[in-house]
């Protein structure tokens, strides 16, 4: 392609963050027809970019042959064969900083994580919305000379489900609600007894599909009249199903971002974290985020990632009544 530009995008880990980069990459590709992109990330995340043209995924084996400084040098030698016009570091950690030293490209812009602003937010000194993670990604490409407009996003079409998945999910005409009840840290999880009340109300009118890892299979079995997908399908198959949901109910977790990057409406529940930190899922109205009561839990957000919170805050999300969750879902579905 004449005058084409090849950009290396580094976003090595954190499923939600990698998923958030997908709408930005999609918009970049659409708005710059002569740009090609290589995503350097974990091979597991390759399906995030499966339908975006002119995008390839290079698998970083950071626990294998690319481990340590020597491994990163070897990784750089492999990448340098592609002669990248520029490098967009959407990760900005020690590993990507070391990798930069070995890459041939002279155009290298790294993500500004806004650490000081986030520190002020979680310390309680300034309770105000920060720049979103997606905008921080956009800023990187802007500095490279590729401004990206996210105001009119496009999303992949719903995947036509194969017979295996149709047999698993059934063929009735009910609307589909995906629910991902878990998160990496307890402080971000809606209490399961309250979630059970939510599920019981929703299954009366809708098909409820539960998402989680293999380790979540037994806890999710507590929910009746649902379809429990925990640990049963490949990642590609789960994404196929998520693309067919009418709505996703998720904690502040990766599943929210998976659904959002596929154009699904997402209701999120926030415990000790808060959307002000910039991690709300893409293209969702502000009132789709249901947050813990800050009168009862005035220190929220206690951390950016939910890994730190004072005693007594582990069930902060429980200050959101099940009726509030169900009412929000019903209203959103009624508008579809």
């Amino acid at each position: 392609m004449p005058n084409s530009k090849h950009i290396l995008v580094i976003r090595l880990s954190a499923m939600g963050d990698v998923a958030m980069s997908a709408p930005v990459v999609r918009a970049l590709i659409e708005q710059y027809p002569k740009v090609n992109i290589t995503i350097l990330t974990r091979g597991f995340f390759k399906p995030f970019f499966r339908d975006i043209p002119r995008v390839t995924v290079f698998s970083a084996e950071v626990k294998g042959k690319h481990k340590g400084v020597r491994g990163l040098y070897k990784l750089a030698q492999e990448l340098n064969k592609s002669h990248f016009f520029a490098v967009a570091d959407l990760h900005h950690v020690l590993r990507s900083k070391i990798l930069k030293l070995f890459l041939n490209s002279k155009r290298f812009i790294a993500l500004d994580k806004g650490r000081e602003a986030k520190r002020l937010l979680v310390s309680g000194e300034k309770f105000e919305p920060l720049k979103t993670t997606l905008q921080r990604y956009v800023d990187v490409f802007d500095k490279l000379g590729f401004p990206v407009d996210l105001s009119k996003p496009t999303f992949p079409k719903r995947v036509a489900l194969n017979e295996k998945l149709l047999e698993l999910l059934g063929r009735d005409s009910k609307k589909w609600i995906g629910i991902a009840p878990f998160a990496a840290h307890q402080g971000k999880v809606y209490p399961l007894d309250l979630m059970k009340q939510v599920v019981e109300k929703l299954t009366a009118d809708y098909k409820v599909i539960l998402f989680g890892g293999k380790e979540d299979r037994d806890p999710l079995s507590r929910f009746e009249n649902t379809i429990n997908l925990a640990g049963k399908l490949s990642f590609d198959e789960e994404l196929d199903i998520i693309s067919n949901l009418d709505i996703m109910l998720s904690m502040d977790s990766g599943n929210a971002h998976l659904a959002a990057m596929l154009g699904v409406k997402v209701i999120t529940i926030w415990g000790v974290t808060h959307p002000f930190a910039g991690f709300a899922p893409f293209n969702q109205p502000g009132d789709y985020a249901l947050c813990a009561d800050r009168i009862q839990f005035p220190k929220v957000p206690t951390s950016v990632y939910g890994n730190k919170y004072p005693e007594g805050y582990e069930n902060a999300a429980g200050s959101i009544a099940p009726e509030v969750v169900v009412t929000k879902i019903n209203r959103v579905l009624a508008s579809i």
Side-chain angles (χ1 to χ4, degrees), residues 33 86 97 128 187 207 232 280 296 329:
K97 292 177 184 178
E128 59 186 24
K207 178 171 294 185
K232 294 181 179 179
Q296 294 182 52
I329 290 173

Side-chain angles (χ1 to χ4, degrees), residues 64-83:
K65 65 178 181 178
H66 300 140
K67 182 179 180 179
V69 176
R70 285 188 179 183
L72 291 174
Y73 176 78
K74 183 184 296 184
L75 174 59
Q77 298 310 301
E78 296 174 37
L79 292 168
N80 283 333
K81 296 175 183 178
S82 296
H83 306 289

Side-chain angles (χ1 to χ4, degrees), residues 35-173:
V35 166
N36 295 276
I37 291 178
T38 292
I39 308 285
L40 178 64
T41 191
R42 288 174 52 195
F44 181 75
F45 299 136
K46 185 175 180 178
F48 293 178
F49 308 95
R50 62 188 181 181
D51 71 304
I52 308 177
R54 306 194 313 278
V55 173
T56 58
V57 174
F58 192 105
S59 180
E61 300 179 32
V62 294
K63 294 184 179 180
K65 65 178 181 178
H66 300 140
K67 182 179 180 179
V69 176
R70 285 188 179 183
L72 291 174
Y73 176 78
K74 183 184 296 184
L75 174 59
Q77 298 310 301
E78 296 174 37
L79 292 168
N80 283 333
K81 296 175 183 178
S82 296
H83 306 289
F84 293 105
F85 167 78
V87 178
D89 181 4
L90 305 186
H91 203 184
H92 200 194
V93 294
L94 180 60
R95 186 180 284 127
S96 60
K97 292 177 184 178
I98 295 173
L99 182 64
K100 171 187 175 181
L101 301 176
F102 304 134
L103 292 171
N104 289 338
S105 176
K106 302 304 179 184
R107 298 177 180 85
F108 192 105
I109 300 295
L111 174 74
D112 177 3
K113 293 188 172 183
R115 287 191 175 93
E116 177 60 16
K118 290 173 181 174
R119 184 192 69 77
L120 293 174
L121 177 66
V122 301
S123 69
E125 295 178 57
K126 283 189 177 182
F127 183 68
E128 59 186 24
L130 306 184
K131 182 180 292 188
T132 68
T133 298
L134 276 107
Q135 184 58 51
R136 293 183 188 280
Y137 290 167
V138 167
D139 289 347
V140 171
F141 291 109
D142 192 7
K143 291 175 183 177
L144 286 174
F146 299 91
V148 177
D149 181 5
L150 293 179
S151 64
K152 297 180 180 178
T154 61
F155 299 99
K157 295 180 180 179
R158 288 190 175 198
V159 175
L161 299 180
N162 60 32
E163 284 300 315
K164 169 190 171 183
L165 298 181
L166 288 173
E167 287 296 323
L168 176 63
L169 298 168
R171 302 172 186 268
D172 57 68
S173 60

Side-chain angles (χ1 to χ4, degrees), residues 191-231:
L192 286 187
D193 59 329
L194 299 184
M195 182 59 81
K196 189 173 181 180
Q197 294 179 43
V198 170
V199 171
E200 286 175 349
K201 294 178 185 297
L202 293 175
T203 53
D205 300 302
Y206 310 111
K207 178 171 294 185
V208 174
I209 304 169
L210 303 175
F211 293 85
K214 291 181 180 179
E215 68 280 2
D216 301 322
R217 187 178 297 170
D218 289 340
L220 290 179
S221 66
R222 295 173 51 184
F223 299 105
E224 299 178 352
N225 303 315
T226 61
I227 299 172
N228 181 359
L229 298 184

